Amino acid sequence: MQILIVDDEPDTLDLITVELAQHGAKVTGVTNAEDALRALEQGQFDLLISDIGMPKIDGYDLIRQIRQQETGKDKRIPAVALTAYARVQDRMHAILAGYSTHIAKPVDANELVTIVASLAGRPNKNTQ
């Protein structure tokens, strides 16, 4: 599984990258939305995980741009929003912007792996 992770916080980016790589994913990590858009143009990814609170282009604008580029295509990339804001309104805002789901920071590794497996259509044996 090819996963693109976008987070301007290097520690979070490293933590998620290592965790998903340990579960067999091939992970590409970038620190801003511009690099994420370039990576999506150049490569094929099965899943996007993106922070919401980033400078210049935030995660909401990033997913809106991605969804706009996907217009007319048969397949949309599943996308997970990461944010320190965990209110119901924040979750709804992320989903309405175009994310498949929302995970609150700090990220729980088991929750993340379970969500990734679910979005990929694969059962996660590690969390049972």
Side-chain angles (χ1 to χ4, degrees):
M1 179 170 203
Q2 298 280 343
I3 301 175
L4 176 61
I5 303 174
V6 189
D7 198 312
D8 64 330
E9 177 57 47
D11 290 341
T12 302
L13 185 61
D14 290 345
L15 173 75
I16 294 170
T17 298
V18 168
E19 186 64 39
L20 293 176
Q22 287 177 347
H23 287 85
K26 293 180 180 150
V27 181
T28 299
V30 297
T31 57
N32 59 64
E34 295 91 344
D35 288 345
L37 292 168
R38 269 191 295 279
L40 287 166
E41 287 175 9
Q42 297 171 358
Q44 200 67 16
F45 293 94
D46 301 305
L47 180 71
L48 168 71
I49 300 173
S50 177
D51 186 21
I52 294 295
M54 297 183 290
K56 292 186 184 176
I57 301 174
D58 68 14
Y60 296 121
D61 288 335
L62 172 62
I63 196 65
R64 286 184 193 109
Q65 287 183 41
I66 291 168
R67 295 303 184 222
Q68 185 176 20
Q69 291 171 357
E70 292 173 334
T71 302
K73 294 183 180 177
D74 290 338
K75 189 175 178 187
R76 290 170 38 132
I77 187 171
V80 178
L82 293 178
T83 180
Y85 304 108
R87 300 173 309 166
V88 171
Q89 299 92 321
D90 300 312
R91 183 178 304 267
M92 289 173 50
H93 189 198
I95 291 170
L96 289 173
Y99 285 97
S100 307
T101 192
H102 167 284
I103 298 177
K105 287 182 177 181
V107 176
D108 176 79
N110 285 333
E111 178 185 13
L112 178 64
V113 170
T114 299
I115 287 172
V116 167
S118 174
L119 289 173
R122 300 171 184 161
N124 179 13
K125 297 175 183 128
N126 297 322
T127 58
Q128 295 177 354

